[in-house]
Amino acid sequence: NAGVTQTPKFQVLKTGQSMTLQCAQDMNHEYMSWYRQDPGMGLRLIHYSVGAGITDQGEVPNGYNVSRSTTEDFPLRLLSAAPSQTSVYFCASSYRRGGQSQQFFGPGTRLTVL
Amino acid sequence: AQSVTQPDIHITVSEGASLELRCNYSYGATPYLFWYVQSPGQGLQLLLKYFSGDTLVQGIKGFEAEFKRSQSSFNLRKPSVHWSDAAEYFCAVEDSSGGGADGLTFGKGTHLIIQP
């Protein structure tokens, strides 16, 4: 199993450009989520999904769109990038069974917006 | 809404000394609790987790954590640190009643520095 994969690893954008951060998992997990990590802020939840076709907003959703057409994929779209979106982005998939839960994180995408 | 506080932004410990990293949470019930470690430029690695039962949990790399309901705390400990333990440590909580879908709430992290 590849686990959770993210592409690209690094990206530089200019203000106003759009792009999609890709995330895929091969563990058949029903839950997927996106976080951003900024210095001194920990990780903050952007959007999450409870299954194909179902998404919801997290703590910091503004400026980001998501969709979940399949169980495996959960792309994050920046429609018009802003310098405030410079961050490291982590995708995660998770399950909950028998009173236990675990999140599996991807390796991250480091995004710089100039 | 749940929240997590890691009171110490930086901690410096001598190699071989003991370590305790503090974590306090605010939540109506008992959440699921996690500690993650992140080395510079790397992703997140799960150290240990607590769901229920025995309040002292053992993790990888010689770490342990103790859940104290009365103090809403989940402090991470290690009896003797190694230089390779230098990293950023994050405490996180998950809503135990939420079905697992709505992700984790993280603390802001504690940066651990190891002195030779």
Side-chain angles (χ1 to χ4, degrees):
Chain A
N1 286 352
V4 180
T5 58
Q6 292 184 239
T7 56
K9 290 188 187 302
F10 303 94
Q11 183 70 48
V12 178
L13 292 177
K14 295 181 179 178
T15 297
Q17 286 185 316
S18 63
M19 80 159 296
T20 300
L21 279 62
Q22 301 292 345
C23 174
Q25 55 99 1
D26 61 359
M27 297 171 282
N28 201 33
H29 289 164
E30 58 266 48
Y31 308 137
M32 296 187 75
S33 49
W34 276 101
Y35 299 82
R36 60 177 289 173
Q37 183 181 21
D38 303 293
M41 298 297 294
L43 279 79
R44 292 178 292 170
L45 184 64
I46 304 172
H47 285 284
Y48 63 94
S49 169
V50 303
I54 307 170
T55 64
D56 206 344
Q57 297 180 350
E59 180 185 354
V60 288
N62 292 344
Y64 307 95
N65 282 349
V66 292
S67 61
R68 183 120 178 253
S69 56
T70 67
T71 300
E72 295 78 19
D73 300 299
F74 191 43
L76 179 72
R77 297 184 186 84
L78 285 70
L79 298 180
S80 179
S84 61
Q85 294 178 304
T86 293
S87 189
V88 180
Y89 292 85
F90 289 98
C91 178
S93 71
S94 65
Y95 69 87
R96 181 179 285 198
R97 295 187 193 90
Q100 298 206 0
S101 168
Q102 186 166 339
Q103 303 246 347
F104 294 77
F105 285 88
T109 294
R110 186 174 294 273
L111 175 67
T112 301
V113 183
L114 302 175
Chain B
Q2 56 209 29
S3 65
V4 179
T5 301
Q6 293 181 247
D8 304 304
I9 299 174
H10 301 277
I11 281 188
T12 300
V13 178
S14 297
E15 190 169 14
S18 63
L19 169 71
E20 182 170 30
L21 302 182
R22 295 183 291 164
C23 173
N24 294 95
Y25 64 88
S26 172
Y27 185 63
T30 299
Y32 293 166
L33 296 157
F34 306 85
W35 273 99
Y36 287 87
V37 62
Q38 185 181 38
S39 297
Q42 301 298 310
L44 293 160
Q45 182 178 24
L46 179 66
L47 286 175
L48 44 77
K49 53 194 175 184
Y50 173 79
F51 301 115
S52 65
D54 191 347
T55 57
L56 184 64
V57 293
Q58 302 297 319
I60 62 171
K61 303 186 177 187
F63 285 94
E64 66 177 26
E66 185 172 13
F67 168 60
K68 293 186 177 180
R69 185 191 308 272
S70 61
Q71 298 177 19
S72 297
S73 69
F74 188 56
N75 293 350
L76 182 72
R77 301 194 293 249
K78 187 170 185 177
S80 176
V81 298
H82 186 261
W83 64 266
S84 60
D85 293 324
E88 192 84 15
Y89 290 80
F90 294 98
C91 180
V93 303
E94 180 180 325
D95 182 355
S96 61
S97 63
D102 49 359
L104 298 174
T105 299
F106 283 84
K108 295 185 178 182
T110 296
H111 184 62
L112 176 62
I113 300 166
I114 306 296
Q115 281 184 336

